[in-house]
Amino acid sequence: MAVRTATPVTGWLLRGGDGRLTAWAPAEGGVVRWTETRPGGPEWSGPELLSAPGLEPYLSIARTAQGYAYLAGVRRRVVQSDEGDRTETEVVYATQFQSGRPLTNWRSVGTPHGQDRQRADQIGVPAAVVDSTGLHLFVRNSGGGVCGRRMDARGIWGPWADLKGSHVLDSLSAGATPDGRVELLAPAAEFVLRWRQEQPGGPLRRARNIPAKPAACSSTSAPTGDDRVTHFWREDADSALHVLPPDTDTAGDAEPAAVSLGTTGTGPVAALHTMLDGHDCTVLAQRAASGLPALAAFPSGDETVGAQWSETGEEFSGAPALALDARGRVVVAVLGMDGRLRVARQRAGAGLVMGDWVRV
């Protein structure tokens, strides 16, 4: 089966309610899944192809507090009618309730443009995130703004909401704090646009724009503390990784500004909040300019502190993913140039020392 990574995205490695990790990737005809055979590994089952005809080569995946996984994407399929064949574009999602078990059917939530097929064809790929109430899906609309749709606690979807914005690039990123407060980031031509909930489950409100010239498909939004979401992206001119400090909105009248992390690479960076040697840390993984995986660890909330990036493994495609396994170890996963899953786990001992890469 041919694994496809046309649009790089992180967040494709998740731990289920039973403690087992699952890795996901778009593939020809559907989605490929690898699953740990027991919590903490090291053995895996898969790759297993889960059929999803018409699904574009992109997945955004969100995890609930119970360990459920929501998979979201865009489906384009040809529909026959008396007026001739036509292409139907819709945002779809499926749910995995238990590790290794079948997905639900792919369900459509339509698009912000209703029956206007021409405008629907121009939407961007979705960003999925779960707040304290339910699933949110966000997309760039045909006019270059942002629209979102929200599931309530009963599983009922509200209407598409226009969050405004302009000149937005593909793709968006969203993150949620452990108590379910969401923040959304949208790279645009001259700014990075932001929305945030002031409290879990509340309405999304615009925050101040960040002057920047971000690269498309390069942003990540991830929790880095109990009430903190940190945003990362690459500048288009030099592929340098930038971070928006978490205290940006408490800096009074000062103009918000991002900070360069002094490293270059391609695609979005993976981010993971964890404890290392008793210290609250954020681990980052990226596809370095060499094409190799590279990792670094920062004090959480102070990701602007200089850190040594360590390259490891071999060249890969797409973007890396990070997760904690059932034993609390950092796990980094990539898709090799051959489409095979490769995984490295944290070794016992001080600091962040990774073991050998294993090809699954």
Side-chain angles (χ1 to χ4, degrees):
M1 65 190 71
V3 174
R4 305 187 296 173
T5 55
T7 302
V9 63
T10 64
W12 50 269
L13 181 69
L14 293 95
R15 191 173 69 202
D18 65 356
R20 288 189 291 165
L21 295 176
T22 302
W24 306 87
E28 203 67 50
V31 175
V32 168
R33 179 177 68 183
W34 296 264
T35 308
E36 283 185 321
T37 56
R38 63 172 182 259
E43 291 83 13
W44 296 73
S45 64
E48 177 185 8
L49 179 63
L50 308 177
S51 178
L55 192 70
E56 291 201 329
Y58 171 89
L59 284 175
S60 180
I61 307 175
R63 180 185 184 277
T64 72
Q66 297 78 22
Y68 304 162
Y70 287 115
L71 284 67
V74 170
R75 182 171 64 193
R76 303 185 196 273
R77 55 184 179 176
V78 176
V79 177
Q80 296 179 338
S81 68
D82 294 339
E83 301 174 356
D85 294 349
R86 58 181 174 83
T87 300
E88 183 178 85
T89 299
E90 52 194 352
V91 178
V92 294
Y93 75 100
T95 311
Q96 176 182 270
F97 291 107
Q98 291 180 288
S99 303
R101 300 294 295 169
L103 286 174
T104 64
N105 292 330
W106 288 87
R107 299 183 174 95
S108 172
V109 293
T111 76
H113 305 300
Q115 300 302 311
D116 189 332
R117 296 194 298 271
Q118 184 174 5
R119 295 181 67 195
D121 287 344
Q122 301 172 42
I123 65 170
V125 294
V129 68
V130 175
D131 72 358
S132 61
T133 302
L135 177 64
H136 290 251
L137 295 174
F138 304 101
V139 296
R140 187 205 67 215
N141 59 41
S142 66
V146 175
C147 290
R149 197 168 183 189
R150 179 180 188 176
M151 178 195 292
D152 67 19
R154 299 168 296 169
I156 298 174
W157 286 94
W160 284 100
D162 187 357
L163 302 182
K164 308 303 181 180
S166 61
H167 304 291
V168 170
L169 310 172
D170 252 356
S171 55
L172 316 177
S173 63
T177 60
D179 64 352
R181 184 183 62 79
V182 163
E183 294 191 19
L184 173 67
L185 189 83
E190 299 287 339
F191 295 95
V192 170
L193 311 181
R194 297 180 300 143
W195 293 258
R196 67 196 310 268
Q197 292 175 328
E198 295 303 324
Q199 62 278 330
L204 279 160
R205 303 190 187 281
R206 281 287 293 271
R208 290 184 293 179
N209 293 345
I210 307 300
K213 292 189 177 181
C217 305
S218 73
S219 65
T220 299
S221 303
T224 57
D226 289 341
D227 190 35
R228 185 171 60 239
V229 173
T230 302
H231 304 283
F232 306 86
W233 66 87
R234 296 193 189 278
E235 283 290 298
D236 188 50
D238 57 8
S239 296
L241 185 63
H242 282 61
V243 60
L244 181 64
D247 60 355
T248 295
D249 293 307
T250 61
D253 295 329
E255 182 178 78
V259 178
S260 174
L261 293 183
T263 182
T264 60
T266 61
V269 65
L272 177 68
H273 180 226
T274 188
M275 299 294 289
L276 294 175
D277 299 335
H279 299 288
D280 193 345
C281 291
T282 298
V283 177
L284 300 181
Q286 68 168 340
R287 187 176 188 270
S290 64
L292 301 179
L295 284 83
F298 299 79
S300 287
D302 198 5
E303 287 79 12
T304 59
V305 171
Q308 183 68 40
W309 288 83
S310 177
E311 294 190 9
T312 178
E314 57 190 73
E315 188 175 0
F316 70 100
S317 62
L322 288 167
L324 295 177
D325 70 7
R327 294 169 58 184
R329 297 173 298 183
V330 175
V331 180
V332 58
V334 300
L335 292 174
M337 302 303 289
D338 58 359
R340 295 278 297 273
L341 177 67
R342 286 163 172 77
V343 176
R345 294 178 197 265
Q346 182 183 5
R347 284 179 175 166
L352 180 64
V353 179
M354 305 302 293
D356 295 335
W357 286 91
V358 176
R359 186 169 67 172
V360 179

